[in-house]
């Protein structure tokens, strides 16, 4: 049985969009051609891949099993391409990196500079996602490497300890809490909290910690970007918890004050993750080795 990539990617697109029409559009196929490809594939496999509904389609269990293999196949094809192009002239590889906002702001930039200087012919694309989204993107082959904060949610990853960071409190200058150098998280729960968008690791961590005190967050404002948080804190609209490194840099620009968050969970570990596989593509191996060496972690250390 011969399966072509166009048809397999069409199945993946339909499964993700829950629509044959939108899946066909995403794969640049005419609707009639896409429907025929899908019908032929179902006949060839002897199973129904989608249940037709009034508002779209729903994947069957057979489809979900097929989709897992398609994602694995796409990841393997990308790994193959990455390794082969090492022997080409010019750009020798393209590495897709995803990381959460804290990692991008707190620890990644100097390590990316070091890698780029040592490997100028390898192009890096970087995307900002939540820690949960980072893990899914790497596990499904949509990214090569991810940097995120625990917990580890996807067993399809192998990870290494990368760097550590610390959370701090940001308050407006002249705020009542500003007279203290450090404070526990419970003291913030009486104030409006300005945070990142839902799903961000810091936001989820604060929500969980509030629940342990039998409280709820007064999350009045949620925005994207630490600079936006600092501007809102400066304006007196609330207080915030964010990584200490970015917080101290922002305190040099905005009229805000940085306080130490006196909690054990304020100390955080960043993880470097790749899809679990017997052998990493050369570009990915070089990149992970470089980042772990920059962080002072032995690259040969067994991943978790």
């Amino acid at each position: 049985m011969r399966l072509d990539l166009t048809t397999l990617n069409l199945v993946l697109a339909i499964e993700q969009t829950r629509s044959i029409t939108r899946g066909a559009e995403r794969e640049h196929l005419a609707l009639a051609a896409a429907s025929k490809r899908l019908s032929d594939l179902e006949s060839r496999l002897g199973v129904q891949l989608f249940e037709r509904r009034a508002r779209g389609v729903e994947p069957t269990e057979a489809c979900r099993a097929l989709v897992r293999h398609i994602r694995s196949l796409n990841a393997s094809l990308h790994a193959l391409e990455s390794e082969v192009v090492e022997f080409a002239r010019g750009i020798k590889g393209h590495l897709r990196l995803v990381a959460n906002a804290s990692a991008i702001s707190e620890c990644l930039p100097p390590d990316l500079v070091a890698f780029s200087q040592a490997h100028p012919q390898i192009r890096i694309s970087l995307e900002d996602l939540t820690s949960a989204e980072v893990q899914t993107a790497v596990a499904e082959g949509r990214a090569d490497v991810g940097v995120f904060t625990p917990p580890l949610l996807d067993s399809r990853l192998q990870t290494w300890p990368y760097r550590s960071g610390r959370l701090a409190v940001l308050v407006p200058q002249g705020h009542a809490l500003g007279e203290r150098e450090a404070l526990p998280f419970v003291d913030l729960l009486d104030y409006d909290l300005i945070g990142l968008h839902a799903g961000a690791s810091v936001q989820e961590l604060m929500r969980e910690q509030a629940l342990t005190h039998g409280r709820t967050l007064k999350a009045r404002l949620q925005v994207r970007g630490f600079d936006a948080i600092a501007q809102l804190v400066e304006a007196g609209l609330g207080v915030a918890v964010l990584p200490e490194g970015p917080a101290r840099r922002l305190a040099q620009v905005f009229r805000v004050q940085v306080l130490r968050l006196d909690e054990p969970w304020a100390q955080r570990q960043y993880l470097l993750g790749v899809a679990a596989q017997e052998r990493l593509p050369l570009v990915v191996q070089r990149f992970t080795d470089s980042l772990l060496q920059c962080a002072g972690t032995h690259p040969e250390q067994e991943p978790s």
Side-chain angles (χ1 to χ4, degrees), residues 31-191:
L31 179 58
S35 297
K36 187 175 188 311
R37 281 179 176 271
L38 181 59
S39 176
D40 288 348
L41 179 61
E42 289 179 324
S43 297
R44 204 178 309 170
L45 295 175
V47 295
Q48 182 180 357
L49 295 176
F50 295 97
E51 295 178 355
R52 276 65 171 176
R53 302 284 176 84
R55 296 186 177 181
V57 295
E58 188 69 24
T60 63
E61 287 302 319
C63 179
R64 292 190 179 96
L66 178 60
V67 163
R68 287 195 295 271
H69 288 289
I70 294 171
R71 286 174 173 151
S72 177
L73 175 62
N74 283 339
S76 297
L77 288 173
H78 178 76
L80 180 151
E81 180 184 11
S82 297
E83 190 159 344
V84 170
V85 297
E86 282 282 296
F87 300 98
R89 295 182 178 178
I91 296 297
K92 290 188 176 180
H94 175 209
L95 187 129
R96 301 166 299 167
L97 173 64
V98 287
N100 68 353
S102 298
I104 294 172
S105 298
E106 197 163 30
C107 56
L108 266 176
D111 294 349
L112 293 182
V113 169
F115 178 80
S116 295
Q117 289 176 343
H119 305 280
Q121 294 172 310
I122 295 177
R123 181 166 59 93
I124 299 174
S125 59
L126 172 62
E127 185 178 1
D128 173 6
L129 300 174
T130 67
S131 286
E133 291 169 340
V134 166
Q135 295 180 57
T136 301
V138 174
E140 294 183 352
R142 291 182 281 111
D144 302 304
V145 183
V147 179
F148 58 93
T149 52
L152 178 62
L153 304 173
D154 200 310
S155 60
R156 294 173 292 175
L157 300 183
Q158 60 185 50
T159 64
W160 296 265
Y162 171 43
R163 287 189 180 274
S164 60
R166 186 170 185 84
L167 295 174
V169 179
L170 205 65
V171 301
Q173 286 189 4
H175 193 275
L177 295 175
E179 298 178 358
R180 301 159 62 180
E181 293 184 0
L183 66 160
F185 178 68
V186 69
D187 289 1
L188 300 179
L189 296 176
D190 293 327
Y191 299 91

Side-chain angles (χ1 to χ4, degrees), residues 172 194 221-223 227-238:
I194 301 169
L221 297 168
Q222 291 179 282
V223 296
D227 56 340
I229 291 177
Q231 292 181 63
L232 294 171
V233 170
E234 180 187 53
L237 294 173

